[in-house]
Protein backbone atom coordinates (compact mmCIF):
# COMPACT_ATOMS: atom_id res chain seq x y z
CA UNK A 1 0.00 0.00 0.00
CA UNK A 2 1.38 3.39 -0.85
CA UNK A 3 0.62 6.90 0.26
CA UNK A 4 -1.97 7.74 -2.39
CA UNK A 5 -4.30 4.93 -1.26
CA UNK A 6 -4.44 6.34 2.24
CA UNK A 7 -4.86 9.90 0.97
CA UNK A 8 -7.71 8.87 -1.34
CA UNK A 9 -9.46 7.01 1.45
CA UNK A 10 -9.06 10.01 3.72
CA UNK A 11 -10.44 12.35 1.02
CA UNK A 12 -13.50 10.09 0.59
CA UNK A 13 -14.18 9.95 4.33
CA UNK A 14 -13.67 13.70 4.63
CA UNK A 15 -16.22 14.28 1.86
CA UNK A 16 -18.72 11.99 3.57
CA UNK A 17 -18.25 13.91 6.82
CA UNK A 18 -18.64 17.22 4.97
CA UNK A 19 -21.91 15.96 3.47
CA UNK A 20 -23.13 15.09 6.95
CA UNK A 21 -22.21 18.51 8.32
CA UNK A 22 -23.96 20.28 5.44
CA UNK A 23 -27.19 18.28 5.41
CA UNK A 24 -27.97 17.04 8.92
CA UNK A 25 -30.50 19.05 10.94
CA UNK A 26 -29.69 17.53 14.30
CA UNK A 27 -26.81 19.31 16.05
CA UNK A 28 -25.60 16.04 17.54
CA UNK A 29 -25.46 14.40 14.12
CA UNK A 30 -23.38 17.36 12.94
CA UNK A 31 -20.93 16.68 15.78
CA UNK A 32 -20.75 13.03 14.68
CA UNK A 33 -19.88 14.14 11.14
CA UNK A 34 -17.21 16.49 12.49
CA UNK A 35 -15.66 13.50 14.26
CA UNK A 36 -15.55 11.69 10.89
CA UNK A 37 -13.69 14.63 9.32
CA UNK A 38 -11.22 14.86 12.22
CA UNK A 39 -10.45 11.16 11.90
CA UNK A 40 -9.85 11.39 8.16
CA UNK A 41 -7.30 14.12 8.78
CA UNK A 42 -5.63 11.95 11.43
CA UNK A 43 -5.23 9.17 8.87
CA UNK A 44 -3.57 11.70 6.57
CA UNK A 45 -1.12 12.77 9.26
CA UNK A 46 -0.16 9.21 10.19
CA UNK A 47 0.20 8.20 6.53
CA UNK A 48 2.48 11.15 5.79
CA UNK A 49 4.48 10.35 8.90
CA UNK A 50 4.83 6.73 7.82
CA UNK A 51 5.70 7.31 4.17
CA UNK A 52 7.50 10.67 4.03
CA UNK A 53 9.29 11.22 7.35
CA UNK A 54 9.28 7.80 9.02
CA UNK A 55 12.15 8.50 11.43
CA UNK A 56 10.82 11.75 12.91
CA UNK A 57 7.31 10.60 14.01
CA UNK A 58 6.07 14.20 13.73
CA UNK A 59 2.72 13.14 12.30
CA UNK A 60 2.06 10.75 15.15
CA UNK A 61 2.79 13.44 17.74
CA UNK A 62 0.36 15.79 16.03
CA UNK A 63 -2.31 13.09 15.90
CA UNK A 64 -2.03 12.83 19.69
CA UNK A 65 -2.71 16.58 19.93
CA UNK A 66 -5.60 16.31 17.45
CA UNK A 67 -7.20 13.50 19.44
CA UNK A 68 -6.91 15.59 22.61
CA UNK A 69 -8.49 18.62 20.98
CA UNK A 70 -11.21 16.41 19.47
CA UNK A 71 -12.04 15.05 22.91
CA UNK A 72 -12.20 18.57 24.36
CA UNK A 73 -14.35 19.69 21.42
CA UNK A 74 -16.76 16.78 21.88
CA UNK A 75 -17.13 17.46 25.61
CA UNK A 76 -17.77 21.19 25.20
CA UNK A 77 -19.99 20.67 22.15
CA UNK A 78 -22.15 18.13 23.95
CA UNK A 79 -22.44 20.46 26.94
CA UNK A 80 -23.57 23.29 24.62
CA UNK A 81 -26.11 21.00 22.91
CA UNK A 82 -27.42 19.92 26.31
CA UNK A 83 -27.87 23.51 27.43
CA UNK A 84 -29.52 24.52 24.13
CA UNK A 85 -31.92 21.61 24.48
CA UNK A 86 -32.86 22.83 27.93
CA UNK A 87 -33.56 26.40 26.83
CA UNK A 88 -34.93 25.91 23.30
CA UNK A 89 -36.45 22.40 23.67
CA UNK A 90 -34.97 21.36 20.33
CA UNK A 91 -31.59 20.53 18.84
CA UNK A 92 -32.50 20.95 15.19
CA UNK A 93 -30.24 23.64 13.82
CA UNK A 94 -32.82 25.16 11.49
CA UNK A 95 -35.23 25.70 14.39
CA UNK A 96 -32.72 27.42 16.65
CA UNK A 97 -33.01 31.06 15.55
CA UNK A 98 -32.80 32.95 18.82
CA UNK A 99 -30.41 35.53 17.39
CA UNK A 100 -32.30 36.05 14.15
CA UNK A 101 -33.66 39.53 15.01
CA UNK B 1 -1.12 -2.26 -11.32
CA UNK B 2 -1.58 -2.78 -7.63
CA UNK B 3 1.21 -4.91 -6.27
CA UNK B 4 -0.09 -7.48 -3.86
CA UNK B 5 1.59 -7.19 -0.49
CA UNK B 6 0.67 -8.48 2.92
CA UNK B 7 -1.02 -5.18 3.67
CA UNK B 8 -3.25 -5.01 0.60
CA UNK B 9 -6.08 -7.27 1.70
CA UNK B 10 -6.43 -5.88 5.26
CA UNK B 11 -6.29 -2.36 3.86
CA UNK B 12 -9.13 -2.93 1.42
CA UNK B 13 -11.28 -4.79 3.95
CA UNK B 14 -10.80 -1.99 6.49
CA UNK B 15 -11.37 0.67 3.83
CA UNK B 16 -14.68 -0.86 2.71
CA UNK B 17 -15.92 -1.21 6.30
CA UNK B 18 -14.80 2.34 7.13
CA UNK B 19 -16.51 3.93 4.13
CA UNK B 20 -19.74 1.96 4.64
CA UNK B 21 -19.89 2.83 8.34
CA UNK B 22 -19.11 6.48 7.58
CA UNK B 23 -22.01 6.52 5.10
CA UNK B 24 -24.22 4.93 7.74
CA UNK B 25 -23.20 7.62 10.25
CA UNK B 26 -24.32 10.45 7.98
CA UNK B 27 -27.44 8.79 6.56
CA UNK B 28 -29.18 6.72 9.25
CA UNK B 29 -32.28 8.18 10.86
CA UNK B 30 -31.85 6.65 14.28
CA UNK B 31 -29.03 8.49 16.05
CA UNK B 32 -28.18 5.55 18.32
CA UNK B 33 -27.42 3.47 15.23
CA UNK B 34 -25.34 6.35 13.87
CA UNK B 35 -23.24 6.43 17.03
CA UNK B 36 -22.74 2.66 16.99
CA UNK B 37 -21.55 2.82 13.38
CA UNK B 38 -19.25 5.66 14.42
CA UNK B 39 -17.71 3.28 16.99
CA UNK B 40 -17.18 0.71 14.20
CA UNK B 41 -15.57 3.46 12.12
CA UNK B 42 -13.21 4.31 15.00
CA UNK B 43 -12.19 0.64 15.22
CA UNK B 44 -11.35 0.70 11.50
CA UNK B 45 -9.24 3.80 12.03
CA UNK B 46 -7.33 1.96 14.78
CA UNK B 47 -6.76 -0.84 12.25
CA UNK B 48 -5.27 1.63 9.79
CA UNK B 49 -2.96 2.96 12.50
CA UNK B 50 -1.72 -0.58 13.10
CA UNK B 51 -1.14 -1.02 9.35
CA UNK B 52 0.85 2.23 9.42
CA UNK B 53 2.97 0.94 12.35
CA UNK B 54 1.52 3.41 14.86
CA UNK B 55 0.49 0.99 17.60
CA UNK B 56 0.37 3.61 20.35
CA UNK B 57 -2.06 5.73 18.36
CA UNK B 58 -4.25 2.68 17.73
CA UNK B 59 -4.50 2.08 21.47
CA UNK B 60 -5.18 5.77 22.14
CA UNK B 61 -7.81 5.77 19.39
CA UNK B 62 -9.70 2.89 20.97
CA UNK B 63 -9.40 4.25 24.53
CA UNK B 64 -10.33 7.86 23.77
CA UNK B 65 -12.75 7.53 20.87
CA UNK B 66 -14.49 4.20 21.37
CA UNK B 67 -14.27 4.22 25.14
CA UNK B 68 -14.82 7.91 25.76
CA UNK B 69 -16.37 9.97 23.02
CA UNK B 70 -18.84 7.33 21.79
CA UNK B 71 -20.12 6.72 25.31
CA UNK B 72 -20.45 10.49 25.82
CA UNK B 73 -22.55 10.76 22.65
CA UNK B 74 -24.74 7.85 23.73
CA UNK B 75 -25.25 9.46 27.15
CA UNK B 76 -26.41 12.71 25.57
CA UNK B 77 -28.79 10.92 23.20
CA UNK B 78 -30.32 9.00 26.09
CA UNK B 79 -30.59 12.17 28.16
CA UNK B 80 -32.17 14.50 25.66
CA UNK B 81 -33.65 13.13 22.48
CA UNK B 82 -36.75 11.27 21.57
CA UNK B 83 -34.83 8.57 19.76
CA UNK B 84 -37.84 6.43 18.98
CA UNK B 85 -39.44 9.17 16.92
CA UNK B 86 -38.46 8.21 13.40
CA UNK B 87 -40.90 10.58 11.74
CA UNK B 88 -38.52 13.45 12.38
CA UNK B 89 -36.89 14.67 9.21
CA UNK B 90 -33.13 14.33 9.63
CA UNK B 91 -31.83 16.25 6.64
CA UNK B 92 -32.47 19.81 5.55
CA UNK B 93 -33.68 21.04 2.17
CA UNK B 94 -30.23 21.58 0.68
CA UNK B 95 -29.21 17.94 0.58
CA UNK B 96 -29.10 17.75 -3.24
CA UNK B 97 -26.92 20.86 -3.60
CA UNK B 98 -24.73 19.61 -0.77
CA UNK B 99 -24.43 16.20 -2.45
CA UNK B 100 -23.29 17.73 -5.76
CA UNK B 101 -20.85 20.07 -4.01
CA UNK B 102 -19.39 17.24 -1.94
CA UNK B 103 -18.93 15.04 -5.04
CA UNK B 104 -17.14 17.91 -6.79
CA UNK B 105 -15.04 18.60 -3.69
CA UNK B 106 -14.05 14.96 -3.33
CA UNK B 107 -13.21 14.74 -7.02
CA UNK B 108 -11.05 17.86 -6.68
CA UNK B 109 -9.22 16.39 -3.69
CA UNK B 110 -8.63 12.99 -5.29
CA UNK B 111 -7.40 14.37 -8.63
CA UNK B 112 -5.24 16.94 -6.88
CA UNK B 113 -3.48 14.43 -4.71
CA UNK B 114 -3.15 11.79 -7.41
CA UNK B 115 -1.30 14.26 -9.64
CA UNK B 116 1.05 15.41 -6.91
CA UNK B 117 4.45 13.83 -6.67
CA UNK B 118 5.06 12.87 -3.06
CA UNK B 119 8.62 12.36 -1.90
CA UNK B 120 8.37 8.85 -0.55
CA UNK B 121 11.17 7.89 1.82
CA UNK B 122 12.29 4.39 2.64
CA UNK B 123 10.76 3.04 5.85
CA UNK B 124 13.39 3.71 8.52
CA UNK B 125 11.34 4.32 11.59
CA UNK B 126 12.12 3.07 15.06
CA UNK B 127 11.19 -0.49 15.92
CA UNK B 128 9.25 0.55 19.03
CA UNK B 129 7.46 3.85 18.69
CA UNK B 130 6.24 4.36 22.24
CA UNK B 131 9.62 5.26 23.86
CA UNK B 132 10.40 7.65 20.99
CA UNK B 133 6.98 9.33 21.25
CA UNK B 134 7.37 9.70 25.01
CA UNK B 135 10.82 11.22 24.64
CA UNK B 136 9.66 13.61 21.89
CA UNK B 137 6.63 14.71 23.90
CA UNK B 138 8.82 15.64 26.86
CA UNK B 139 11.66 17.28 24.93
CA UNK B 140 10.91 18.76 21.52
CA UNK B 141 7.15 19.08 21.93
CA UNK B 142 7.06 19.98 25.61
CA UNK B 143 5.44 23.37 25.02
CA UNK B 144 2.49 22.14 22.88
CA UNK B 145 2.12 19.27 25.35
CA UNK B 146 1.68 21.69 28.27
CA UNK B 147 -0.62 23.95 26.26
CA UNK B 148 -2.80 20.96 25.37
CA UNK B 149 -3.07 20.04 29.04
CA UNK B 150 -4.27 23.57 29.82
CA UNK B 151 -6.77 23.31 26.94
CA UNK B 152 -8.08 20.05 28.40
CA UNK B 153 -8.48 21.64 31.81
CA UNK B 154 -10.31 24.60 30.26
CA UNK B 155 -12.60 22.24 28.33
CA UNK B 156 -13.29 20.25 31.50
CA UNK B 157 -14.28 23.33 33.49
CA UNK B 158 -16.13 24.83 30.52
CA UNK B 159 -18.19 21.69 29.95
CA UNK B 160 -19.18 21.56 33.62
CA UNK B 161 -20.10 25.26 33.72
CA UNK B 162 -22.09 25.16 30.46
CA UNK B 163 -23.96 21.95 31.24
CA UNK B 164 -24.83 22.98 34.81
CA UNK B 165 -28.40 24.00 35.50
Amino acid sequence: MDLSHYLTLSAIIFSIGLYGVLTRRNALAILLSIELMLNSVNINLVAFSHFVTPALLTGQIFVIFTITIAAAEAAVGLAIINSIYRSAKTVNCDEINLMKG
Amino acid sequence: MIELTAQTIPFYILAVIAVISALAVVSLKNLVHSVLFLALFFFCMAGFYILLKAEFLAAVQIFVYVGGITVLFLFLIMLTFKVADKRLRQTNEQWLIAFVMVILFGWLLVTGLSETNWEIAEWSGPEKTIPVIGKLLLTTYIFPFEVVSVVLLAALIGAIVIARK
Side-chain angles (χ1 to χ4, degrees):
Chain A
M1 302 320 300
D2 57 350
L3 183 58
S4 62
H5 287 83
Y6 285 98
L7 296 185
T8 310
L9 175 81
S10 145
I12 292 170
I13 291 172
F14 190 89
S15 305
I16 294 173
L18 187 63
Y19 176 76
V21 170
L22 290 176
T23 57
R24 284 283 201 163
R25 292 171 76 216
N26 197 321
L28 200 121
I30 292 178
L31 267 187
L32 293 183
S33 311
I34 291 177
E35 295 295 333
L36 285 183
M37 295 163 78
L38 282 167
N39 269 277
S40 74
V41 175
N42 284 353
I43 279 289
N44 255 0
L45 287 173
V46 180
F48 274 120
S49 168
H50 182 267
F51 288 106
V52 181
T53 57
L56 295 179
L57 293 183
T58 319
Q60 296 199 21
I61 301 273
F62 272 83
V63 169
I64 294 175
F65 292 141
T66 322
I67 288 177
T68 321
I69 300 297
E73 170 258 329
V76 176
L78 291 176
I80 291 174
I81 292 177
N82 194 17
S83 121
I84 287 177
Y85 183 75
R86 236 185 275 127
S87 64
K89 296 292 169 224
T90 181
V91 288
N92 289 340
C93 288
D94 45 0
E95 292 166 18
I96 302 169
N97 45 14
L98 295 172
M99 290 170 75
K100 208 180 191 175
Chain B
M1 244 203 1
I2 301 161
E3 71 274 30
L4 211 64
T5 61
Q7 290 199 354
T8 312
I9 296 164
F11 176 84
Y12 278 108
I13 293 173
L14 282 173
V16 168
I17 299 175
V19 169
I20 288 174
S21 53
L23 283 172
V25 168
V26 297
S27 60
L28 284 183
K29 282 201 156 189
N30 191 334
L31 273 184
V32 176
H33 295 172
S34 279
V35 174
L36 292 178
F37 272 106
L38 192 73
L40 179 64
F41 172 79
F42 288 151
F43 270 115
C44 293
M45 290 294 119
F48 286 124
Y49 292 156
I50 289 175
L51 284 185
L52 288 167
K53 295 194 175 64
E55 297 87 1
F56 176 65
L57 286 183
V60 168
Q61 171 89 8
I62 289 177
F63 286 154
V64 175
Y65 275 114
V66 185
I69 293 182
T70 312
V71 176
L72 208 59
F73 276 116
L74 280 177
F75 261 133
L76 197 75
I77 293 174
M78 304 293 175
L79 280 176
T80 53
F81 304 135
K82 302 171 212 109
V83 182
D85 196 359
K86 297 206 183 74
R87 288 162 298 161
L88 280 176
R89 203 161 42 90
Q90 287 288 349
T91 55
N92 58 19
E93 298 82 29
Q94 283 102 20
W95 68 270
L96 191 65
I97 289 182
F99 186 73
V100 174
M101 289 309 291
V102 162
I103 293 286
L104 285 177
F105 176 75
W107 174 79
L108 182 76
L109 274 184
V110 171
T111 48
L113 57 87
S114 62
E115 286 177 14
T116 312
N117 230 343
W118 307 105
E119 293 177 11
I120 306 289
E122 274 298 304
W123 164 251
S124 59
E127 203 54 40
K128 290 182 180 140
T129 53
I130 299 177
V132 186
I133 287 177
K135 201 175 275 177
L136 280 175
L137 272 182
L138 288 179
T139 53
T140 317
Y141 298 98
I142 180 77
F143 184 65
F145 182 69
E146 298 291 342
V147 170
V148 145
S149 352
V150 176
V151 167
L152 265 187
L153 180 68
L156 176 72
I157 297 172
I160 294 172
V161 169
I162 293 170
R164 203 179 45 179
K165 285 226 168 86

